[in-house]
Amino acid sequence: MEALIKNIKADGKLLAAILDCSSESLFKSLINKAAIIKEKYCGNVVYLRGLIEYSNICRKNCYYCGIRRDNKTIVRYTVKEDEIINTAKIAYEKKYGSIVIQSGERNDKEFIKTIDRIIRKIKQVSNGKLGITLSVGEQSYDVYKMWYESGAHRFLLRIESSDEDLYKKIHPNDEVHSFINRLKALENLKKADYQTGTGVMIGLPFQTSEHLAKDLLFMKDFDIDMCGMGPYLEHHKTPLWEYRHLLKPQKERLNLTLKMVALLRILMKDINIAATTAMQTIEPEGRIKAIQAGANVLMPNITPAQYRDNYFLYENKPKTFEAPEDHLPHLGKKLKTVNHTIYYGTWGDSKHFFRKNGQ
Ligand code: 5AD
Ligand code: SF4
């Protein structure tokens, strides 16, 4: 078994075998190997991004997501412009260094203009010093470029699954949910000079280890700069709820996610990998475990309190404002116990991005 992880390389069969293997000692060795690589290439530091869930209005209808268009049981919201600017200002003052603006997907003119204005204003109130990552879905190249020129410099767009057949099983089969368009959007982000991040959900119904191995190879081939991946969590107001009997127990999905993080760190030594909220939903220590498995980015939720309850992608998502586990001194202490420190007040860019661009 241990032989499997001696020489980990971009080989689908090998990666799938590692993901499939239930040996505890293999699990531990894999995590250790990733931890050593991370320390060497990234250091034991954690970058922060204050996560602002800007709006739960979405034009899409993904089968797994609690804020999909057809879920009429949730209250839709958009954070007011002055509130988001103010939240960003607080993040800057608290030395987060960077924020992520995340939102359901819209591509109407008003949305595009508002995001542009928000980016410019945040740059103004932080003297250009707060880093801005966007996670607001598929847009045209021109829109991506405009936002880049206004000051956003990193973008996360999860491929969700790199296998076209699986992608089609978890999305409606129409123009709005086209796999090809999603790939094109990722290409356009690169072309528009963003540090580009993607990711997948882990433990989806119908998903096999071969699919996940393919996801890792996709990320390597695409030469991503950043990754955010997390366990799939079922939501009762979504079409995939019907297939919940096919799911692995949540704890297993978390462990599989940790293996994915470790494998990706081994395959892509200097990219940024986020320890995502969904991991913490399964287990309070989920994100810390991800940091130990090779992740180097944490995204504490800083969405203004009154909106929190409605960004409900999956069940049991932590909802309170400044949840104690997201309180920075608390996080700092927790990280110290696993030999990591928070790097305050920095953008925390992907080293990989600069290396591949010869800088
Ligand atoms: N479980 C886990 N992750 C989910 N996302 C959406 N719905 C779920 C779910 N039920 C993730 C998707 C999306 C990101 C914003 O949230 O990967 O890209
Ligand atoms: Fe909308 Fe994203 Fe949810 Fe799909 S996953 S329904 S695009 S918020």
Side-chain angles (χ1 to χ4, degrees):
M1 289 299 168
E2 300 291 314
L4 281 178
I5 67 159
K6 273 255 154 61
N7 186 18
I8 291 175
K9 49 184 188 302
D11 167 342
K13 281 210 170 105
L14 172 71
L15 297 172
I18 294 171
L19 290 165
D20 258 339
C21 178
S22 57
S23 147
E24 194 135 320
S25 73
L26 174 131
F27 182 84
K28 281 190 185 143
S29 313
L30 180 67
I31 303 289
N32 281 342
K33 194 170 173 137
I36 290 166
I37 289 177
K38 188 182 75 175
E39 183 166 15
K40 180 163 172 204
Y41 289 87
C42 306
N44 278 349
V45 290
V46 172
Y47 301 131
L48 296 175
R49 285 91 177 82
L51 174 65
I52 305 175
E53 295 163 332
Y54 169 60
S55 172
N56 67 354
I57 300 174
C58 188
R59 73 187 192 103
K60 286 196 169 176
N61 235 341
C62 307
Y63 289 155
Y64 43 84
C65 178
I67 65 171
R68 63 198 300 272
R69 190 184 64 216
D70 284 355
N71 183 4
K72 308 287 183 209
T73 65
I74 56 165
V75 180
R76 301 285 170 173
Y77 74 87
T78 301
V79 177
K80 291 201 191 76
E81 221 167 297
D82 57 333
E83 282 175 317
I84 189 169
I85 308 302
N86 199 39
T87 306
K89 197 160 171 266
I90 296 169
Y92 172 58
E93 286 160 4
K94 288 195 166 180
K95 298 211 166 11
Y96 273 79
S98 271
I99 54 163
V100 179
I101 300 175
Q102 193 177 71
S103 172
E105 189 171 309
R106 277 174 59 186
N107 59 2
D108 52 282
K109 281 209 178 88
E110 194 195 331
F111 179 79
I112 291 167
K113 274 198 184 148
T114 308
I115 294 287
D116 196 60
R117 233 180 7 251
I118 288 172
I119 297 168
R120 288 170 187 274
K121 284 191 186 162
I122 291 175
K123 282 287 164 186
Q124 257 173 26
V125 299
S126 67
N127 305 316
K129 287 193 180 132
L130 192 65
I132 302 177
T133 303
L134 296 177
S135 178
V136 297
E138 289 165 47
Q139 309 287 342
S140 68
Y141 171 79
D142 290 345
V143 169
Y144 285 151
K145 194 69 197 173
M146 177 174 84
W147 289 340
Y148 181 86
E149 272 156 16
S150 297
H153 76 296
R154 294 186 295 239
F155 204 109
L156 296 164
L157 184 75
R158 288 188 180 182
I159 189 71
E160 313 295 1
S161 169
S162 64
D163 181 88
E164 191 165 359
D165 291 335
L166 180 56
Y167 189 92
K168 284 186 175 151
K169 287 198 174 108
I170 61 172
H171 296 97
N173 200 0
D174 60 26
E175 245 331 270
V176 184
H177 300 84
S178 146
F179 179 72
I180 301 299
N181 288 349
R182 198 143 187 100
L183 281 179
K184 274 191 202 141
L186 275 171
E187 291 288 356
N188 281 335
L189 284 167
K190 247 192 195 173
K191 219 166 85 188
D193 293 326
Y194 284 91
Q195 292 176 44
T196 303
T198 193
V200 295
M201 282 173 290
I202 294 154
L204 284 161
F206 324 117
Q207 190 182 47
T208 63
S209 303
E210 284 73 26
H211 287 131
L212 290 170
K214 190 170 170 183
D215 292 335
L216 290 169
L217 296 180
F218 169 80
M219 294 188 232
K220 176 106 178 132
D221 281 351
F222 192 83
D223 207 12
I224 58 167
D225 306 302
M226 329 180 292
C227 178
M229 53 190 168
Y232 163 70
L233 294 164
E234 56 275 38
H235 186 296
H236 68 290
K237 290 286 184 201
T238 63
L240 283 194
W241 177 248
E242 185 187 331
Y243 299 99
R244 63 193 180 283
H245 60 282
L246 299 176
L247 302 175
K248 292 182 173 56
Q250 290 202 348
K251 184 93 182 65
E252 271 181 45
R253 279 177 255 164
L254 174 64
N255 283 341
L256 197 54
T257 305
L258 294 170
K259 277 173 141 181
M260 285 288 284
V261 167
L263 285 171
L264 185 63
R265 173 58 69 205
I266 294 166
L267 292 172
M268 301 193 76
K269 299 179 169 33
D270 53 0
I271 64 168
N272 278 351
I273 304 179
T276 55
T277 317
M279 300 198 221
Q280 180 199 356
T281 303
I282 293 183
E283 197 183 298
E285 297 292 302
R287 290 183 307 182
I288 300 293
K289 285 188 172 173
I291 295 290
Q292 290 177 287
N296 65 332
V297 170
L298 273 177
M299 312 201 302
N301 196 336
I302 59 167
T303 309
Q306 67 270 35
Y307 302 108
R308 289 286 178 101
D309 284 4
N310 299 313
Y311 205 84
F312 197 35
L313 300 171
Y314 42 76
E315 316 262 336
N316 302 322
K317 191 165 171 279
K319 285 198 274 193
T320 50
F321 182 62
E322 287 232 320
E325 62 272 24
D326 270 2
H327 191 56
L328 292 188
H330 172 85
L331 267 181
K333 270 189 210 144
K334 268 252 119 89
L335 287 168
K336 216 168 175 188
T337 64
V338 295
N339 194 28
H340 281 68
T341 47
I342 294 178
Y343 196 148
Y344 283 99
T346 180
W347 284 10
D349 282 327
S350 162
K351 289 195 169 58
H352 186 77
F353 178 81
F354 295 105
R355 189 171 59 84
K356 78 183 184 198
N357 289 311
Q359 291 169 39

